[in-house]
Amino acid sequence: MSFSFVEGRPFDKEEYESGVQVAVVSESMAEKIFSGENPIGKIIEITFIPFRIIGIVRDVSPIFTEAAGDIWVPVTSSSDFQRKGGIIMLQAYNKKDFPAIISEIREVERKHDIVNESSKIYLQGPFSRNNYVIDISSKNIDEETDIIRSERQKTIILFCLLLLVPAVNLASFSVSRIKKRMMEIGVRKAFGAKRHVILFQILYENMLTSLIGGVIGLLLSYLIIFSLRHWLLGIPADGTIPVSALFSWPVIISVFLFSIVLNILSAGIPAYKASKLEIVNSITQNDN
């Protein structure tokens, strides 16, 4: 996890291994307990155990369920923490390391004969982001890969359908507008307007309209998400959503490229055909 430290520092390897009772707290928790005071070096009690505060981090949005918290302490600092279940996260150096990591964990399971549920030891993973999001608990790597591939295909199909519905409406709207402007195109050609000028102007106007509509739609979607964040995402009313969680360059670029292609097909082709018509036919097209 990447935390932004306001003051102090995180606990280090030596403190972790020796089980030193130190803690890192969030800004809001520090303000709640030590209002107006510097909490660095002060003592707080967690389950009646004193911990010394060594660091303060900026609040993490509740949208990041595994990273959000108020207090962080070494799991080795109390036997109570060690007896409780939890999640261990490892960051691999490379995606290619996952098979080796999985094999090593499965070997540890076989070595310790972890088959009896009464032992209360469960090793499922390690999870890639896709494994974790899809919540795969299979121990067969091939099965996990197939499930991830299937879920990814479903996501792509759903994404395409969500784009296709407005795309059909936009295409129909663009074709209808071109037909209504046939007389205008004919008149402009009569006054010497070149074909490529007419074509580029129509594409430019269509792209500008799409861009304005896209920006308005994006702002409205953010407004809805912020207004209904508790219902949609389970975030408290006073919780925040970081901009980085709402803005994805790959998604923005993909939708933008799709819009360009859609505009070329829905407006460019009809405009090109209209620009090739004879002046008389263009002017009388509206009557037909």
Side-chain angles (χ1 to χ4, degrees), residues 179-234:
K179 287 183 177 180
K180 291 181 179 180
R181 298 180 64 181
M182 294 299 290
M183 182 179 293
E184 175 194 338
I185 293 173
V187 172
R188 293 188 61 192
K189 288 177 66 177
F191 278 90
K194 295 185 179 298
R195 183 186 303 172
H196 70 274
V197 174
I198 297 174
L199 180 61
F200 285 137
Q201 182 182 1
I202 292 175
L203 287 175
Y204 169 76
E205 292 175 358
N206 218 52
M207 283 296 299
L208 184 61
T209 305
S210 299
L211 182 61
I212 294 173
V215 171
I216 294 174
L218 190 63
L219 293 177
L220 287 175
S221 68
Y222 286 161
L223 178 63
I224 292 173
I225 289 176
F226 276 106
S227 302
L228 303 177
R229 59 184 179 275
H230 178 67
W231 180 63
L232 290 173
L233 305 173

Side-chain angles (χ1 to χ4, degrees), residues 106 126 201 240:
R106 302 308 177 221
Q201 182 182 1
T240 59

Side-chain angles (χ1 to χ4, degrees), residues 139-175:
K139 294 186 177 183
N140 188 307
I141 299 177
D142 293 332
E143 289 182 13
E144 293 178 0
T145 304
D146 291 339
I147 294 174
I148 292 174
R149 185 183 298 110
S150 175
E151 291 296 328
R152 185 181 291 117
Q153 290 173 351
K154 291 179 182 178
T155 302
I156 293 174
I157 293 173
L158 179 61
F159 187 71
C160 291
L161 288 175
L162 290 174
L163 286 176
L164 184 62
V165 173
V168 172
N169 292 329
L170 180 59
S172 302
F173 176 71
S174 299
V175 172

Side-chain angles (χ1 to χ4, degrees), residues 2-205:
S2 298
F3 295 96
S4 299
F5 275 80
V6 178
E7 287 188 68
R9 60 176 179 82
F11 41 84
D12 54 30
K13 182 179 179 182
E14 288 74 20
E15 289 170 330
Y16 172 81
E17 292 180 345
S18 58
V20 176
Q21 290 156 352
V22 291
V24 174
V25 299
S26 65
E27 269 188 305
S28 58
M29 179 59 67
E31 179 64 25
K32 183 178 180 180
I33 301 178
F34 306 99
S35 179
E37 300 181 31
N38 187 351
I40 299 296
K42 294 188 179 297
I43 303 297
I44 59 172
E45 288 192 358
I46 306 174
T47 63
F48 305 104
I49 302 173
F51 285 82
R52 179 172 55 88
I53 299 176
I54 61 172
I56 305 173
V57 296
R58 287 194 176 93
D59 292 348
V60 180
S61 173
I63 194 173
F64 303 112
T65 54
E66 300 301 337
D70 290 314
I71 302 174
W72 295 265
V73 300
V75 70
T76 54
S77 60
S78 171
S79 58
D80 290 339
F81 302 148
Q82 297 178 35
R83 286 195 294 266
K84 295 179 179 179
I87 299 174
I88 296 176
M89 294 186 179
L90 306 175
Q91 182 178 7
Y93 288 107
N94 192 295
K95 291 181 180 180
K96 297 179 181 179
D97 295 336
F98 277 109
I101 295 174
I102 292 174
S103 299
E104 184 175 346
I105 289 183
R106 302 308 177 221
E107 180 60 33
V108 172
E109 288 179 331
R110 288 190 291 269
K111 180 179 178 181
H112 293 277
D113 193 25
I114 304 178
V115 293
N116 188 357
E117 292 188 4
S118 62
S119 62
K120 300 299 181 184
I121 299 175
Y122 302 95
L123 295 178
Q124 296 178 343
F127 295 149
S128 66
R129 179 183 177 279
N130 289 324
N131 290 83
Y132 184 74
V133 170
I134 300 172
D135 190 23
I136 297 176
S137 59
S138 170
K139 294 186 177 183
N140 188 307
I141 299 177
D142 293 332
E143 289 182 13
E144 293 178 0
T145 304
D146 291 339
I147 294 174
I148 292 174
R149 185 183 298 110
S150 175
E151 291 296 328
R152 185 181 291 117
Q153 290 173 351
K154 291 179 182 178
T155 302
I156 293 174
I157 293 173
L158 179 61
F159 187 71
C160 291
L161 288 175
L162 290 174
L163 286 176
L164 184 62
V165 173
V168 172
N169 292 329
L170 180 59
S172 302
F173 176 71
S174 299
V175 172
S176 176
R177 285 182 60 196
I178 296 297
K179 287 183 177 180
K180 291 181 179 180
R181 298 180 64 181
M182 294 299 290
M183 182 179 293
E184 175 194 338
I185 293 173
V187 172
R188 293 188 61 192
K189 288 177 66 177
F191 278 90
K194 295 185 179 298
R195 183 186 303 172
H196 70 274
V197 174
I198 297 174
L199 180 61
F200 285 137
Q201 182 182 1
I202 292 175
L203 287 175
Y204 169 76
E205 292 175 358

